[in-house]
Amino acid sequence: MYPKLKLFIGGQWKNGAGRKTESVINPVNEKVLAELPHASKADLDDALEAAKRGFETWRKTNAWDRACIMNKAADIMRERLEAIATIITQEQGKPLFEARLEVAAAADVIQWMAEEGKRSYGRVIPSRLPGTRTFTVQEPVGICAAFTPWNFPVLSPARKIAGALGGGCALIIKPSEETPGAAVEMTRAFAEARLPEGVLSVVFGMPAEISEYLIAKDEVRKISFTGSIPVGKHLTKLAAENVKRVTMELGGHSPVVVFDDVDPEKTADIAVGGKYRNAGQVCISPTRFYVQENSYKKFAARFSAQAKAVKLGNGLESETRMGPLANARRLDAMANIVADCQSRGAKIAAGGTRRGNQGYFFEPTVVTDLQDDSKLMTQEPFGPIAPIIPFKTLDEVVARANSLPYGLAAYAFTSDTRNANIISDALEAGMVGVNTFSISMAETPFGGVKESGYGHEGSVEGLEAYTSKKFISQA
Ligand code: NAD
């Protein structure tokens, strides 16, 4: 059920022979799923040499032919959706129904970028000199390096692969060592779709060593990273040494503002679904729930009751609504956040502890009566803990919602259009959902402001991120 893990360099699969390896752990039972080979420096040099050749081929391949290959890879992924989804659930823990949606979304983003590559338009600028033309064209940035985390094992790498390949670039990607299987299977789909050698290489190893090695190389012209803010800052500094392009998709701490003019119980039902998706390990996860004072009690009571009813278990079982956390670090982080809340007199209205002693299960948790400066309210929890806080006025809640250095997603629930307009303008975030948590699709731009990041993935902007504009003046 779980694949043999290999590196993919210059169109060749490389196994663990003679290489350092690390174990991939199933978060449901802490058992080893497979051994993952690490790339050596020689492997990285091979990937760079292959990328140079791959880029020369791919940049000259027209956008229609590129799209055929990319669409073929997306189709293969759709045919193997069930198998790839099962791999995700095994290595990452999320329930199978979420993993299926993730694979489908990954195939969509590849298809979107394949098609959008055909529309990578330049523009004609009216020339001020007679008999001359002035215009711009879009060109691929070059060889890119990307690094993706463990919370979306296939969608996160798919966004980077799709943007790079759609834009005509070659890419060396290092998916997460903790969740490598689905990314390896996606790579297999590209190989079977006959992607030219070297256009895509997939490596694993010590994250800091690989990123430092690749970012320092002259031939790598762009870096794309999804992960935590501290690592994003570090990689941005490395890229700045040689003025390399970056896309940074970093952490979030999304406020959710619930006004008195919506049904608090119905809104709580929707919010519980959003909060415990992927056990809260989502950068756009709804994180801080600010509920207007007249609705607060009803919302908190309903949310807590629904949180207690979330079926926690093995994601491969059909009744499971929330799986284990992806790794032991998250368990420690959750215990630490809950302890901080308790030490400051907050109330644990649901959950609050680890479930069992095998696997990384943590109960869907709700915290009330807490202070704005607690860890939960100021640091990204990245887990299944929901703080619920009352507010009085719009101005007050906007100030509190915007008080953190994060600016990825924000949400508001209101039936008043004027409220909706005012708050969606006022919230400092790259993405705002009004009466919805659905803010991530292949065709829509995904990205943050403030310390949550720089640049976008998905949509037209996600393709532009892998192209450079060239101005041509022709006399
Ligand atoms: P971490 O900061 O050590 O790692 C985050 C990710 O970055 C991992 O996938 C890791 O392999 C990678 N990474 C770490 N150092 C790197 C380096 N020098 N070069 C390249 N890649 C590197 O923390 P973690 O324990 O894995 O995750 C904890 C925090 O990370 C979470 O609390 C959350 O804030 C953040 N996170 C964010 C996202 C996201 O989607 N934005 C995803 C996963 C984790």
Side-chain angles (χ1 to χ4, degrees):
M1 275 232 287
Y2 195 81
K4 274 227 166 340
L5 300 172
K6 293 181 180 173
L7 311 170
F8 186 70
I9 296 171
Q12 307 292 315
W13 292 99
K14 311 261 180 190
N15 62 23
R19 293 181 174 85
K20 209 181 137 198
T21 63
E22 81 175 89
S23 302
V24 179
I25 306 294
N26 184 338
V28 156
N29 52 24
E30 301 173 48
K31 292 203 170 121
V32 174
L33 284 166
E35 290 298 321
L36 176 71
H38 279 198
S40 62
K41 289 221 162 98
D43 289 326
L44 297 180
D45 289 338
D46 287 349
L48 283 162
E49 281 307 312
K52 283 189 212 166
R53 296 191 301 274
F55 179 52
E56 283 314 308
T57 308
W58 196 239
R59 72 190 305 185
K60 292 182 197 131
T61 306
N62 73 58
W64 285 81
D65 291 342
R66 282 185 211 144
C68 281
I69 293 170
M70 292 173 71
N71 279 325
K72 175 90 180 126
D75 286 344
I76 295 172
M77 287 174 67
R78 290 185 180 114
E79 281 161 24
R80 299 183 189 158
L81 185 141
E82 199 60 24
I84 303 175
T86 306
I87 293 167
I88 293 177
T89 296
Q90 287 175 290
E91 63 190 10
Q92 199 268 344
K94 69 180 63 170
L96 201 48
F97 72 91
E98 286 186 26
R100 289 186 185 116
L101 291 173
E102 183 182 338
V103 181
D108 279 359
V109 80
I110 293 165
Q111 183 185 350
W112 165 273
M113 287 299 174
E115 296 306 319
E116 201 54 25
K118 298 174 186 169
R119 292 179 279 277
S120 190
Y121 301 132
R123 72 180 198 273
V124 177
I125 299 160
S127 175
R128 63 161 76 191
L129 302 171
T132 66
R133 288 263 182 274
T134 45
F135 56 98
T136 68
V137 292
Q138 296 296 118
E139 293 186 338
V141 170
I143 297 171
C144 306
F147 309 92
T148 56
W150 41 262
N151 55 338
F152 286 92
V154 80
L155 180 57
S156 198
R159 280 193 166 137
K160 299 188 193 301
I161 294 171
L165 271 50
C169 299
L171 179 71
I172 302 172
I173 189 165
K174 190 202 74 57
S176 167
E177 287 69 24
E178 293 176 304
T179 57
V184 166
E185 287 310 291
M186 174 163 55
T187 307
R188 199 179 305 287
F190 278 100
E192 289 178 22
R194 301 195 174 278
L195 184 70
E197 281 177 27
V199 178
L200 173 65
S201 286
V202 179
V203 297
F204 297 99
M206 293 301 289
E209 285 173 16
I210 295 197
S211 57
E212 268 168 47
Y213 193 74
L214 290 179
I215 295 172
K217 294 288 176 185
D218 287 342
E219 49 270 55
V220 172
R221 293 311 315 158
K222 183 199 161 115
I223 317 301
S224 182
F225 171 72
T226 300
S228 62
I229 291 175
V231 176
K233 286 181 178 173
H234 171 62
L235 299 188
T236 303
K237 281 182 200 153
L238 294 180
E241 282 288 320
N242 303 89
V243 198
K244 295 185 179 182
R245 293 265 295 268
V246 295
T247 298
M248 290 287 148
E249 300 288 355
L250 308 178
H253 202 296
S254 311
V256 184
V257 179
V258 181
F259 288 95
D260 274 343
D261 58 20
V262 292
D263 181 327
E265 296 191 325
K266 278 194 192 142
T267 311
D269 290 350
I270 302 168
V272 165
K275 174 70 238 175
Y276 300 112
R277 177 167 83 102
N278 200 5
Q281 302 163 121
V282 182
C283 51
I284 56 167
S285 183
T287 303
R288 292 169 277 155
F289 292 88
Y290 295 103
V291 185
Q292 209 161 11
E293 52 188 356
N294 290 336
S295 296
Y296 173 75
K297 275 199 175 134
K298 269 193 178 169
F299 181 94
R302 177 69 167 216
F303 193 113
S304 305
Q306 295 289 64
K308 286 177 191 160
V310 170
K311 176 88 176 74
L312 189 57
N314 183 339
L316 293 179
E317 288 160 10
S318 60
E319 65 276 17
T320 295
R321 296 292 102 185
M322 191 179 110
L325 301 177
N327 52 56
R329 298 187 302 286
R330 300 286 3 110
L331 267 187
D332 295 341
M334 295 310 104
N336 191 288
I337 287 170
V338 170
D340 178 72
C341 289
Q342 284 169 324
S343 74
R344 292 154 175 271
K347 238 171 78 187
I348 308 299
T353 51
R354 181 179 182 183
R355 174 90 56 90
N357 55 12
Q358 198 195 33
Y360 308 133
F361 293 97
F362 198 88
E363 293 178 338
T365 297
V366 180
V367 183
T368 60
D369 303 275
L370 74 168
Q371 297 155 11
D372 275 356
D373 63 352
S374 60
K375 276 189 185 166
L376 178 55
M377 291 296 283
T378 52
Q379 297 170 18
E380 185 177 30
F382 222 65
I385 307 187
I388 307 181
I389 321 101
F391 76 91
K392 284 192 171 69
T393 66
L394 186 128
D395 287 349
E396 171 214 334
V397 79
V398 165
R400 289 168 80 185
N402 289 340
S403 63
L404 300 185
Y406 302 90
L408 192 57
Y411 307 92
F413 286 79
T414 176
S415 58
D416 181 320
T417 312
R418 193 166 172 277
N419 246 358
N421 292 340
I422 292 173
I423 195 140
S424 48
D425 283 351
L427 289 170
E428 293 171 356
M431 295 164 280
V432 176
V434 179
N435 300 326
T436 181
F437 290 115
S438 295
I439 55 165
S440 167
M441 283 150 271
E443 65 276 27
T444 58
F446 188 100
V449 297
K450 296 162 87 176
E451 293 195 6
S452 287
Y454 182 80
H456 289 93
E457 295 193 309
S459 194
V460 185
E461 291 82 356
L463 189 77
E464 283 171 359
Y466 288 91
T467 60
S468 304
K469 199 180 292 293
K470 179 184 273 179
F471 168 65
I472 301 174
S473 177
Q474 200 168 287

